[in-house]
Amino acid sequence: MSTTTSQAGIRSIRGYISWYWFPTIGSIVWIATLLGLLITWISDGSPYYDSMDPSGQTIAYISDIGADYLKPLFITGSSITSVCFVLSLLGARWLRHRGRILPNTSMAQRVLSIISIVGAAIGGVGLILLAVFDTRRYVTLHRVFLAVFCGGVLISALGTVLEYWRLERNHRTSRVLTISMWTKLAFFVVELGLAVTFGILMRNRKHNAGAIVEWVLGILFTGYLLSFNLDLLPAAKSYTGQFKDVELTPPPTSYA
């Protein structure tokens, strides 16, 4: 078999098996998990769970439903989503290093990329553990791991936004990169605001409003994970080093 034929075969396989699978699978699994929990709770007649506040809470948190007989679904969905989240960021880092998508142009960008991966790993571990240590049997641990999940995701999102902002300054002709950056920035700002609101509502025992905010946060996370398709899809048809020699836009300052 010739080298050309072999490379063509690899590119053909890559069109079906690529890094963009991870954000796609992760987002599908996560939204399916949320819908499974929500639809089950509604179809069961919106029951009151033992983990719910007896002083007026009527809307279940995601974790309230996930602590009951659907706990295996919650753990499985959280685990798959967490792994796909981390692999999406690892994929972006690897593909930039290989020149199959627009590469990083400074050490600062690489450091920010690593920070985003570490944040995702912390958040992913937090998500898995909050599902395992459910809110009915392990209230304190569950809340600790919920904070770990939120903190890890926000750190990861901030690292990604800063990396893309600095990268976009060198690739201003890349419309996809610009859209991806602004999409992730919007997510970070909205999620940060909702996370703070969620914490305040829980502290003040406004559980119905807090539950609604938590469901919104969960659904928005689906969109954030899916946004990595903007970054990873081009690699399905690219080859190693293709973007290494892309002409850079001179930055407005010397530190970019």
Side-chain angles (χ1 to χ4, degrees):
M1 181 183 294
S2 67
T3 302
T4 302
T5 304
S6 177
Q7 291 176 344
I10 292 174
R11 285 195 294 269
S12 177
I13 294 174
R14 188 182 297 158
Y16 296 96
I17 303 176
S18 188
W19 285 98
Y20 73 82
W21 275 33
F22 294 113
T24 302
I25 293 173
S27 58
I28 292 174
V29 169
W30 182 240
I31 194 64
T33 300
L34 294 182
L35 289 176
L37 295 173
L38 182 60
I39 292 172
T40 299
W41 177 66
I42 293 173
S43 63
D44 285 346
S46 304
Y48 171 86
Y49 295 111
D50 293 340
S51 57
M52 294 171 67
D53 192 316
S55 60
Q57 182 184 353
T58 57
I59 302 176
Y61 287 101
I62 297 171
S63 300
D64 289 326
I65 308 172
D68 207 67
Y69 67 90
L70 288 180
K71 183 173 180 177
L73 170 65
F74 192 31
I75 294 175
T76 301
S78 298
S79 300
I80 295 174
T81 302
S82 298
V83 171
C84 288
F85 181 36
V86 175
L87 288 177
S88 297
L89 288 160
L90 282 172
R93 172 86 281 276
W94 174 249
L95 293 171
R96 293 197 194 285
H97 173 71
R98 299 283 289 173
R100 286 181 53 193
I101 58 178
L102 291 172
N104 292 126
T105 56
S106 70
M107 180 57 69
Q109 292 172 18
R110 296 182 182 92
V111 171
L112 289 168
S113 176
I114 293 172
I115 289 174
S116 68
I117 294 171
V118 172
I122 293 172
V125 171
L127 178 58
I128 295 171
L129 291 179
L130 72 84
V132 173
F133 295 97
D134 62 77
T135 188
R136 185 173 68 182
R137 302 172 183 85
Y138 314 95
V139 178
T140 300
L141 278 176
H142 179 81
R143 290 180 178 177
V144 168
F145 291 129
L146 176 61
V148 170
F149 167 60
C150 292
V153 171
L154 287 171
I155 290 172
S156 177
L158 180 60
T160 300
V161 167
L162 292 176
E163 176 199 359
Y164 282 32
W165 172 66
R166 297 179 71 95
L167 185 62
E168 194 266 347
R169 290 157 65 87
N170 294 124
H171 298 287
R172 292 188 180 275
T173 57
S174 175
R175 188 165 177 266
V176 171
L177 180 61
T178 301
I179 293 173
S180 180
M181 181 194 71
W182 285 109
T183 299
K184 291 172 175 60
L185 176 60
F187 166 84
F188 173 77
V189 172
V190 173
E191 289 278 301
L192 178 60
L194 288 176
V196 172
T197 302
F198 176 70
I200 294 173
L201 290 171
M202 284 196 66
R203 178 178 292 273
N204 294 328
R205 303 177 69 86
K206 304 292 185 180
H207 292 296
N208 283 336
I212 293 173
V213 171
E214 186 188 47
W215 282 102
V216 173
L217 279 166
I219 293 170
L220 285 178
F221 182 65
T222 305
Y224 177 65
L225 185 55
L226 196 60
S227 74
F228 284 94
N229 272 333
L230 291 170
D231 314 304
L232 301 177
L233 271 171
K237 297 182 179 180
S238 67
Y239 55 85
T240 300
Q242 179 175 341
F243 293 92
K244 287 285 188 182
D245 299 322
V246 172
E247 185 176 352
L248 303 181
T249 303
T253 55
S254 59
Y255 63 84

